[in-house]
């Protein structure tokens, strides 16, 4: 069982990690684990089309989606509003999890719980949990967001350990330790971890956060790398699986380093189940999901997040995969 939260306040877990690290996988584990807690979830996505919320398992928990901007800069007012609405149903949940975008600097999100009086009275920040992709984090060391996510973490899941060697893991752990010696680090595959390691841990320390960034309570905004963006493609109709596979294979061979993340839900021709597609850099995988519901519109939604992406070219190529 996880620990009991501070009296009369709701514990909050901020779940962060760079694109494709495994945050949604961890979130689904939190929602299905028998920890005896009712968990409310706020999911924030970088792209204008929300995919993650559709990949979160059907659950009784309160799940809210924010996909009109990154939670760390443009939509913090929305976050406060949603939490305010949630707190009117305080009896419906015991713990709040906020999944940030893969490009979020956690500092402004943390700031929310210390600069807003109502937030401070009603909530307590339990921990910042950061998922690190052991295979691909090396491609993003230069990204400020990735460094900030590690630096502010109270708990780090070094995920996808099955994709790298023991020597690489040791090097990676040493590098993480050089950036954040205080965080607890757990090695995981598919974000599998006992909940008592991440929920109810009472690990967040404001003084340590101020050591990481002495001005973080004073910052008003966070600037993203302007060359990094997201492109959302939404098309009705059925997809030819062979054409899609051929296109994606060529795309990754030619533009793989610039494509940080792909994810989508597709309507494959002749199939009764949704096809869920996920990709991180040169790795991609897809599998049938649940059946399409009778009242559900069968459409294809695909989101790319990466650097210097050509929206028109991607859209045309995607349409050429339609039956």
């Amino acid at each position: 069982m996880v620990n009991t939260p501070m009296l009369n306040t709701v514990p909050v877990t901020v779940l962060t990690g760079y694109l494709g690290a495994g945050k949604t996988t961890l979130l689904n584990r939190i929602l299905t684990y028998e920890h005896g807690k009712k968990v409310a979830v706020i999911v924030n996505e970088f792209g204008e089309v929300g995919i993650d919320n559709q990949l979160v398992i059907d659950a009784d928990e309160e799940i809210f989606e924010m996909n009109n901007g990154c939670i760390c800069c443009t939509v913090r007012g929305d976050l406060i509003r949603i939490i305010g609405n949630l707190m009117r149903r305080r009896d419906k949940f015991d713990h709040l999890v906020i999944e940030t975008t893969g490009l979020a600097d956690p500092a402004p999100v943390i700031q929310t719980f210390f600069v807003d009086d109502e937030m401070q009275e009603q909530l307590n920040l339990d921990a910042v949990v950061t998922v690190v992709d052991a295979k691909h984090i090396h491609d993003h060391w230069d990204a400020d967001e990735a460094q900030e996510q590690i630096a502010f973490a109270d708990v780090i899941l070094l995920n996808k350990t099955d994709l790298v060697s023991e020597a690489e893991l040791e090097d990676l752990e040493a590098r993480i330790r050089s950036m954040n010696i205080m965080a607890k680090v757990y090695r995981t595959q598919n974000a599998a971890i006992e909940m008592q390691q991440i929920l109810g841990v009472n690990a967040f320390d404001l003084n340590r956060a101020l050591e990481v960034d002495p001005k973080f309570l004073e910052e008003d905004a966070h600037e993203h790398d302007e060359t990094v963006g997201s492109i959302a493609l939404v098309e009705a109709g059925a997809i030819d699986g062979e054409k899609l596979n051929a296109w994606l294979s060529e795309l990754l061979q030619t533009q793989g380093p610039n494509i940080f993340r792909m994810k989508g839900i597709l309507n494959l021709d002749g199939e009764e189940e949704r096809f869920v597609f996920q990709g991180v850099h040169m790795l991609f995988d897809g599998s049938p999901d649940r059946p399409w519901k009778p009242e559900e519109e069968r459409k294809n939604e695909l989101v790319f997040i990466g650097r210097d992406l050509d929206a028109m070219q991607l859209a045309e190529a995607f349409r050429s995969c339609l039956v």
Side-chain angles (χ1 to χ4, degrees), residues 278-292:
Q278 303 236 29
V280 182
H281 283 291
M282 305 295 284
L283 301 177
F284 69 98
D285 188 28
S287 61
D289 186 43
R290 63 167 174 79
W292 290 98

Side-chain angles (χ1 to χ4, degrees), residues 189-316:
Q189 296 177 22
N190 296 315
I193 188 167
E194 297 294 322
M195 288 301 109
Q196 60 264 35
Q197 313 293 355
I198 58 171
L199 297 183
V201 292
N202 196 22
F204 182 78
D205 183 337
L206 179 60
N207 291 328
R208 195 183 73 77
L210 287 167
E211 288 175 7
V212 173
D213 181 356
K215 296 183 178 179
F216 98 94
L217 286 178
E218 305 166 13
E219 292 171 350
D220 294 326
H222 165 66
E223 294 183 359
H224 289 295
D225 181 344
E226 294 296 330
T227 65
V228 176
S230 74
I231 292 172
L233 306 175
V234 180
E235 292 287 343
I239 289 285
D240 182 316
E242 290 188 7
K243 289 182 180 177
L244 179 76
N245 195 47
W247 168 53
L248 290 175
S249 296
E250 181 186 358
L251 182 68
L252 291 178
Q253 285 175 18
T254 56
Q255 300 183 45
N258 281 344
I259 297 176
F260 301 165
R261 189 81 169 97
M262 298 181 291
K263 51 189 173 182
I265 296 174
L266 304 174
N267 176 32
L268 289 189
D269 187 38
E271 300 296 334
E272 291 303 313
E273 295 86 18
R274 303 190 314 174
F275 188 82
V276 174
F277 170 86
Q278 303 236 29
V280 182
H281 283 291
M282 305 295 284
L283 301 177
F284 69 98
D285 188 28
S287 61
D289 186 43
R290 63 167 174 79
W292 290 98
K293 296 176 182 176
E295 72 280 8
E296 196 171 17
E297 180 187 0
R298 294 195 181 195
K299 60 184 178 181
N300 305 282
E301 298 176 90
L302 189 59
V303 171
F304 292 88
I305 301 175
R307 179 169 283 119
D308 299 327
L309 301 179
D310 187 326
M312 187 174 296
Q313 187 181 63
L314 287 171
E316 288 177 358

Side-chain angles (χ1 to χ4, degrees), residues 16-18 72 103-108 110 128 130 132 137 140-154 156 179-180 208-209 212-214 216 219 222-223:
T16 185
Y18 208 73
C72 71
L103 293 171
D105 175 352
I110 296 168
V128 177
T130 300
V132 175
I137 188 63
H140 302 291
W141 279 123
D142 293 336
D144 290 341
E145 294 88 354
Q147 295 180 21
E148 296 277 336
Q149 289 164 3
I150 291 172
F152 275 104
D154 302 302
I156 292 175
M179 299 167 68
N180 182 345
R208 195 183 73 77
V212 173
D213 181 356
F216 98 94
E219 292 171 350
H222 165 66
E223 294 183 359

Side-chain angles (χ1 to χ4, degrees), residues 18-297:
Y18 208 73
L19 297 163
K23 296 186 296 299
T24 303
T25 302
L26 178 59
L27 182 57
N28 278 332
R29 288 191 180 278
I30 292 171
L31 293 176
T32 55
Y33 196 93
E34 294 294 333
H35 45 57
K37 299 289 184 186
K38 289 286 288 182
V39 180
V41 177
I42 297 174
V43 178
N44 179 221
E45 291 193 61
F46 188 65
E48 62 189 31
V49 172
I51 298 292
D52 282 356
N53 72 307
Q54 299 185 60
L55 300 181
V56 174
I57 51 103
D58 287 334
D60 294 333
E61 280 77 5
E62 305 268 358
I63 298 176
F64 295 86
E65 178 188 6
M66 302 173 63
N67 61 358
N68 55 340
C70 187
I71 199 171
C72 71
C73 39
T74 58
V75 295
R76 200 168 62 195
D78 285 357
L79 173 64
I80 292 174
R81 178 180 53 79
I82 288 175
I83 291 176
N85 290 335
L86 262 175
M87 294 310 292
R88 294 179 190 146
R89 288 175 285 169
R90 170 70 183 84
D91 57 326
K92 301 289 186 184
F93 60 97
D94 310 303
H95 198 106
L96 174 61
V97 175
I98 300 172
E99 181 191 6
T100 67
T101 76
L103 293 171
D105 175 352
V109 183
I110 296 168
Q111 184 188 38
T112 302
F113 299 98
F114 294 94
V115 299
D116 185 280
D117 290 341
E118 284 193 25
M119 296 294 106
Q120 201 165 2
E121 289 173 4
Q122 300 180 77
L123 303 126
N124 70 85
L125 184 56
D126 184 55
V128 177
V129 177
T130 300
V131 186
V132 175
D133 182 336
K135 175 71 174 176
H136 295 106
I137 188 63
H138 300 286
D139 297 325
H140 302 291
W141 279 123
D142 293 336
D144 290 341
E145 294 88 354
Q147 295 180 21
E148 296 277 336
Q149 289 164 3
I150 291 172
F152 275 104
D154 302 302
V155 179
I156 292 175
L157 272 62
L158 191 52
N159 199 32
K160 306 185 187 182
T161 55
D162 51 322
L163 300 181
V164 295
S165 68
E166 176 63 26
E168 289 174 300
L169 280 174
E170 290 178 3
D171 287 345
L172 183 51
E173 278 195 12
R175 184 158 189 178
I176 288 173
R177 290 290 182 203
S178 72
M179 299 167 68
N180 182 345
I181 198 170
M182 299 295 288
K184 291 187 176 180
V185 179
Y186 299 98
R187 295 183 180 187
T188 60
Q189 296 177 22
N190 296 315
I193 188 167
E194 297 294 322
M195 288 301 109
Q196 60 264 35
Q197 313 293 355
I198 58 171
L199 297 183
V201 292
N202 196 22
F204 182 78
D205 183 337
L206 179 60
N207 291 328
R208 195 183 73 77
L210 287 167
E211 288 175 7
V212 173
D213 181 356
K215 296 183 178 179
F216 98 94
L217 286 178
E218 305 166 13
E219 292 171 350
D220 294 326
H222 165 66
E223 294 183 359
H224 289 295
D225 181 344
E226 294 296 330
T227 65
V228 176
S230 74
I231 292 172
L233 306 175
V234 180
E235 292 287 343
I239 289 285
D240 182 316
E242 290 188 7
K243 289 182 180 177
L244 179 76
N245 195 47
W247 168 53
L248 290 175
S249 296
E250 181 186 358
L251 182 68
L252 291 178
Q253 285 175 18
T254 56
Q255 300 183 45
N258 281 344
I259 297 176
F260 301 165
R261 189 81 169 97
M262 298 181 291
K263 51 189 173 182
I265 296 174
L266 304 174
N267 176 32
L268 289 189
D269 187 38
E271 300 296 334
E272 291 303 313
E273 295 86 18
R274 303 190 314 174
F275 188 82
V276 174
F277 170 86
Q278 303 236 29
V280 182
H281 283 291
M282 305 295 284
L283 301 177
F284 69 98
D285 188 28
S287 61
D289 186 43
R290 63 167 174 79
W292 290 98
K293 296 176 182 176
E295 72 280 8
E296 196 171 17
E297 180 187 0

